[in-house]
Every structure is written in structure tokens, then in C-alpha cells.
Amino acid sequence: MKDVLLSLLAGLVIGVVFKFLRLPLPAPPVLAGVMGVFGVYLGGVVFDWIMKTFFN
């Protein structure tokens, strides 16, 4: 849980800094960004499952 809170805090700080400097946010649109991160995580989980299921 600590990692999640630190990640959220870091993201908030970066967001504030970018807006203060009037720069575009370094992130894709909200839903696309969330789905991309979820896809990366899901790909890792599926890979681990395949390796454990078929190669153990």
C-alpha cells in the first residue's frame, strides 16, 4: 500500500509542476492511460500463468 501512495503522491507532484510550467501533461488521456497500464500488468500476469501452467 505504501508503494501505491508514493506513486500517487509522485504523480500529483509531477502534475502540479507541469501545470505550473504550463506544459502539456506527460500522460495519455485518462481512460487510454489506465487501460494501457492495465494491459501491461495483465500481460505480465498472463505470461506468468502460461509459464507456470505449461513449463513446470
Side-chain angles (χ1 to χ4, degrees):
M1 186 67 176
K2 180 181 176 183
D3 294 339
V4 173
L5 293 176
L6 287 174
S7 295
L8 179 62
L9 179 62
L12 288 171
V13 169
I14 295 299
V16 168
V17 168
F18 270 69
K19 280 298 186 177
F20 177 76
L21 296 173
R22 299 180 197 263
L23 295 170
L25 292 177
V30 176
L31 183 57
V34 170
M35 293 307 291
V37 170
F38 179 70
V40 170
Y41 175 76
L42 187 60
V45 170
V46 168
F47 179 79
D48 285 342
W49 178 78
I50 289 171
M51 294 304 288
K52 287 178 186 175
T53 303
F54 296 108
F55 299 105
N56 243 349

